[in-house]
Amino acid sequence: MLVENHVSLQPYNTFGIVAKALHLARIRSEDDVLQLLADPQWAASPKFVLGGGSNIVLTGDVKPLVLKVEILGKRLVQETDKAWIVEAGAGEPWHELVVWTLAQGWPGMENMALIPGTVGGAPVQNIGAYGLELQDRFESLDAIHLFTGQRFTLDAAQCGFGYRDSVFKHAPSVGTQDSGGYPIGLGLAGQALITRVRFSLPKRWQPELGYLDLQKKMHDTGNRQPTPHTILDWVCQIRRAKLPDPAVVGNAGSFFKNPTVSPEQCADIIARDPKLVYYELPNGTLKLAAGWMVDACGWKGKSIGQAAVYDKQALVLINRGAGTNTPGATGGEVMTLARAIQTSVYERFGILLEPEPVVV
Ligand code: EPU
């Protein structure tokens, strides 16, 4: 397999940041990974797995060997009384999988339409939108350990899904190494390449319409019993109205996670900011709308260099220069803007926002 040198990563990150991979290998099958790991030149090199590049901020050229996952294929692997089990290659574009499953008559992922990125990236941050998260439809995944070459399969519990979180975002526990000196433990960040993901789409389909924007669509259209296709259309319309299309304006979706606080902390903030937007979670804690807080601090439309806050959704940072003749925002500018936002939100609300994308 050919390892390419000095490859531009600008087309491979949705922020459209200019940066290069010093070395890049296109992974089209499990065998490609195993071959690479068996190659003395690359076996021990640090590696960076790149999916759709929709959740990363590149702050310079990438020195580790970039493994660009391009494993394709979509198929029904099993049909039970209760569900269709569908498998997709990690390199498949996420939205195309959602549309394809619906066209086959297997609904259940329509609320997650138009999320940028690939199938392999979806479990890493447990993507979610409009009342559904990946974990609600997840069956299992196959991956290859990048140090040992071992293939393994994880079910949902083993993936440790949380809000925009999974075992793939956590470093292995410090101090735990196997006899070969490789880190072991719960975290798999930087340790694994996801090759295939399986989804369970329940035959007894129930629409998920709890999200306020979808309630509004039902009200406005008078359609109280939307089909899965209608929900897909609604979600696409809502997203297009609020979120920038990465093909046109560089961005990585929400830049910060919605923070969770105790009822006391929330009451404290409301006493000062009665308009605070928040949601109660089943465990009694409260999730605050980070977008509202950033907006309340006056950030919409503000910029540092070519990095800016999107004027229709303050949680989204954009690259004003992507797609133009200028080099556009640097990762440094994006991070400077992010830190300035963190500081002002912290000073006003006492909450430190946590970035969602991975900073490379
Ligand atoms: N809001 C403002 N001003 C803003 C932005 C938001 O007042 O500039 C308010 C909204 O009016 C609303 C609340 O904040 O009352 C929440 O906003 P929104 O419904 O747009 O959702 P969000 O919490 O900002 C989350 C996800 C999105 C996902 C949407 C829909 C996170 C970090 N983001 O955004 O996911 O599409 O809900 O489910 O959880 C992503 O992760 O990249 C992403 C786009």
Side-chain angles (χ1 to χ4, degrees):
M1 186 199 3
L2 197 67
V3 173
E4 301 161 47
N5 297 322
H6 299 285
V7 180
S8 167
L9 292 177
Q10 193 183 16
Y12 301 148
N13 76 98
T14 59
F15 247 122
I17 290 170
V18 174
K20 281 197 299 280
L22 299 193
H23 309 286
L24 179 142
R26 292 173 199 277
I27 302 298
R28 300 204 165 109
S29 68
E30 280 85 349
D31 275 355
D32 283 349
V33 188
L34 300 177
Q35 252 187 48
L36 206 76
L37 296 179
D39 183 334
Q41 194 186 347
W42 302 111
S45 328
K47 298 175 186 70
F48 175 74
V49 178
L50 178 64
S54 60
N55 206 41
I56 56 171
V57 184
L58 296 172
T59 56
D61 290 344
V62 181
K63 290 172 195 78
L65 170 63
V66 174
L67 305 181
K68 183 165 184 300
V69 183
E70 297 181 352
I71 300 172
L72 300 179
K74 303 189 281 277
R75 66 191 181 114
L76 181 72
V77 284
Q78 201 191 344
E79 183 176 347
T80 67
D81 289 351
K82 294 202 170 121
W84 293 284
I85 312 293
V86 174
E87 181 184 85
E92 288 284 348
W94 172 263
H95 178 67
E96 284 177 25
L97 173 69
V98 173
V99 172
W100 180 79
T101 49
L102 222 61
Q104 304 301 309
W106 312 322
M109 308 227 271
E110 52 284 346
N111 294 52
M112 292 184 278
L114 270 196
I115 296 181
T118 50
V119 165
V124 174
Q125 59 151 348
N126 186 22
I127 59 169
Y130 305 104
L132 263 192
E133 285 184 321
L134 174 112
Q135 66 176 343
D136 300 320
R137 298 289 178 259
F138 181 86
E139 173 74 13
S140 60
L141 62 78
D142 297 336
I144 300 181
H145 198 283
L146 289 173
F147 294 99
T148 62
Q150 218 169 10
R151 293 171 187 230
F152 60 94
T153 297
L154 298 184
D155 62 21
Q158 290 166 317
C159 286
F161 291 126
Y163 165 60
R164 296 296 190 277
D165 197 25
S166 77
V167 74
F168 298 100
K169 282 194 119 180
H170 293 265
S173 331
V174 182
T176 48
Q177 293 182 344
D178 69 8
S179 51
Y182 294 119
I184 49 171
L186 286 181
L188 281 172
Q191 311 279 300
L193 184 144
I194 295 168
T195 54
R196 289 174 201 280
V197 185
R198 282 169 294 279
F199 303 89
S200 176
L201 305 174
K203 287 191 170 169
R204 227 194 232 194
W205 176 79
Q206 297 271 6
E208 174 53 63
L209 295 163
Y211 204 87
L212 192 66
D213 286 338
L214 290 171
Q215 294 277 323
K216 270 193 206 139
K217 282 282 181 200
M218 280 201 290
H219 180 264
D220 295 350
T221 59
N223 183 352
R224 300 256 139 212
Q225 288 181 320
T227 63
H229 282 92
T230 303
I231 297 176
L232 178 104
D233 288 345
W234 286 353
V235 168
C236 291
Q237 288 164 18
I238 295 165
R239 286 188 77 96
R240 287 193 174 115
K242 267 196 185 178
L243 299 167
D245 176 356
V248 183
V249 178
N251 76 92
S254 299
F255 200 90
F256 298 103
K257 292 186 186 184
N258 286 327
T260 304
V261 297
S262 66
E264 295 74 25
Q265 236 181 323
C266 189
D268 191 43
I269 298 173
I270 292 170
R272 283 176 282 124
D273 276 289
K275 288 191 181 145
L276 176 77
V277 177
Y278 61 93
Y279 319 92
E280 284 174 31
L281 299 180
N283 65 2
T285 62
L286 300 133
K287 192 181 262 191
L288 311 183
W292 182 87
M293 292 195 279
V294 177
D295 194 1
C297 291
W299 280 102
K300 256 186 194 164
K302 294 268 166 63
S303 55
I304 288 183
Q306 299 263 43
V309 179
Y310 192 52
D311 52 12
K312 295 193 196 111
Q313 224 296 10
L315 206 51
V316 178
L317 303 192
I318 60 167
N319 176 0
R320 280 216 170 116
T324 66
N325 288 331
T326 65
T330 62
E333 283 172 347
V334 172
M335 293 315 294
T336 304
L337 178 61
R339 281 187 208 107
I341 294 169
Q342 280 175 315
T343 303
S344 76
V345 167
Y346 186 77
E347 281 171 359
R348 173 151 169 194
F349 298 102
I351 300 281
L352 182 62
L353 294 180
E354 189 191 332
E356 206 193 271
V358 176
V359 181
V360 185

